Amino acid sequence: MSYFSKRLIKSILSVLILTWVILSFMVFINQNALIYVPSKKYLNTPEYYNLKYENYILSTKDGERINSWFIPHTNPRATLLFLHGNGGNISTRLDSINIFHKLGLSVFIIDYRGYGSSSGVPSEEGTYIDAESAWLFLKNKKHINENDIIIFGRSLGGAVAIWLAHKYRSSALIVESSFTSIIEMGRHNYPYLPISLLAKIKYASDERISSINIPKLFIHSKDDDIVPFRFGRKLFELANQPKEFLEIHGLHNDGFLLSGEKYTNGIDNFLKNIKK
């Protein structure tokens, strides 16, 4: 090999290593922005679906003010504590709120800190505190028995829901389109970076799910374009009985709508099994 060939190879390797270091650094310092994509503007309210709702501001133990909606049902089968995904805010979940209301559920949904009109800046620990504040509000302010509360989480909210169900007992847990951990998601999106060393945010659902012994429903689509189907299946496999898996179709953000009756009937049957 000639001198110039060696110099060229060395230069290429140097560029590749420098690019790898820069990308790793960018992921490390920007991971909050990569994970949390809040929207401040509210697009509408449950009145869009002619649903009456109550607006509450929750005070967290670390001094934040969390915005929330309670959408009551006249004859509720249970109350669903709704923990949404990493983007938007509670106003971008109106389709889901309407579906759950039609299924006979009262719905309580919160905006994490930094989302909508909630104060603060989003963080992993912050989302846990916000979810805990919502749980305590239902228990202590709304006086709803834990056996009448279903914890529901979609996408990132699934990880928050698993944390909450790990800490507090409820009637059931529903996890939709969620992942095993941020580290595994990072490895999926950035396969050539040392994600386990870079990740400050963990959301380690795979380490918590086996400790939850209430009825669990896992929902995921094989067409999911953001969170791979295999992560939803792995969560299900790690979970103890009783558990069910509902396979839907459609992309990450519209599967629950495109799946139609398969989605609603699957949840309805799960609710019936809880009562049994």
Side-chain angles (χ1 to χ4, degrees):
M1 184 180 294
S2 69
Y3 170 78
F4 292 104
S5 296
K6 291 180 180 178
R7 286 291 301 271
L8 178 61
I9 292 173
K10 186 176 180 180
S11 296
I12 292 172
L13 287 174
S14 296
V15 170
L16 289 174
I17 292 170
L18 180 61
T19 301
W20 182 83
V21 170
I22 292 172
L23 283 174
S24 297
F25 179 72
M26 293 301 292
V27 167
F28 178 75
I29 65 172
N30 290 311
Q31 57 191 276
N32 269 54
L34 291 170
I35 293 171
Y36 305 110
V37 192
S39 173
K40 291 291 186 182
K41 183 179 179 181
Y42 289 108
L43 304 178
N44 221 315
T45 72
E47 290 177 345
Y48 177 81
Y49 281 110
N50 296 315
L51 298 175
K52 294 181 179 179
Y53 74 103
E54 303 160 8
N55 199 170
Y56 294 99
I57 304 298
L58 312 182
S59 296
T60 68
K61 63 185 181 183
D62 60 342
E64 301 298 348
R65 292 169 59 79
I66 303 302
N67 191 42
S68 66
W69 291 340
F70 183 76
I71 303 93
H73 195 283
T74 53
N75 186 29
R77 302 164 80 172
T79 294
L80 186 95
L81 173 51
F82 191 145
L83 300 166
H84 65 67
N86 72 318
N89 57 48
I90 56 178
S91 74
T92 56
R93 272 72 192 189
L94 295 178
D95 291 332
S96 288
I97 290 172
N98 188 49
I99 288 171
F100 293 136
H101 190 268
K102 286 182 177 179
L103 284 166
L105 299 166
S106 293
V107 179
F108 185 51
I109 183 168
I110 65 166
D111 262 333
Y112 311 117
R113 59 192 62 201
Y115 285 73
S117 60
S118 295
S119 67
V121 177
S123 67
E124 180 176 3
E125 183 62 25
T127 56
Y128 296 154
I129 293 172
D130 300 340
E132 182 179 45
S133 300
W135 170 265
L136 294 174
F137 174 83
L138 288 178
K139 284 274 292 177
N140 300 332
K141 300 296 184 181
K142 281 294 184 180
H143 305 292
I144 299 174
N145 190 283
E146 62 185 21
N147 294 321
D148 293 319
I149 299 174
I150 296 171
I151 301 173
F152 170 86
R154 177 180 290 146
S155 193
L156 178 77
V160 182
I162 288 170
W163 177 90
L164 188 62
H166 169 77
K167 186 169 183 180
Y168 295 97
R169 182 170 178 82
S170 63
S171 172
L173 170 67
I174 302 177
V175 177
E176 182 178 324
S177 306
S178 198
F179 48 80
T180 46
S181 70
I182 286 294
I183 288 177
E184 287 205 357
M185 279 296 296
R187 287 170 177 161
H188 168 73
N189 290 317
Y190 307 99
Y192 303 110
L193 299 183
I195 296 298
S196 58
L197 298 177
L198 300 175
K200 296 178 291 183
I201 301 170
K202 310 290 187 181
Y203 287 112
S205 295
D206 50 357
E207 297 177 6
R208 299 185 175 113
I209 192 64
S210 63
S211 67
I212 301 170
N213 297 314
I214 56 175
K216 295 166 290 293
L217 173 63
F218 297 87
I219 306 172
H220 218 112
S221 169
K222 280 190 173 179
D223 310 315
D224 196 312
D225 56 327
I226 295 177
V227 179
F229 179 77
R230 69 179 186 275
F231 290 166
R233 282 298 307 184
K234 185 175 179 180
L235 273 179
F236 172 74
E237 289 161 4
L238 288 171
N240 294 324
Q241 294 288 353
K243 60 182 179 179
E244 299 178 28
F245 192 89
L246 173 62
E247 183 180 325
I248 58 175
H249 64 271
L251 302 180
H252 184 75
N253 290 317
D254 63 12
F256 71 98
L257 283 174
L258 293 180
S259 297
E261 289 186 356
K262 184 173 186 180
Y263 179 82
T264 55
N265 289 342
I267 295 176
D268 183 51
N269 290 331
F270 177 70
L271 296 175
K272 289 175 182 175
N273 290 337
I274 293 173
K275 294 300 180 183
K276 289 179 183 178

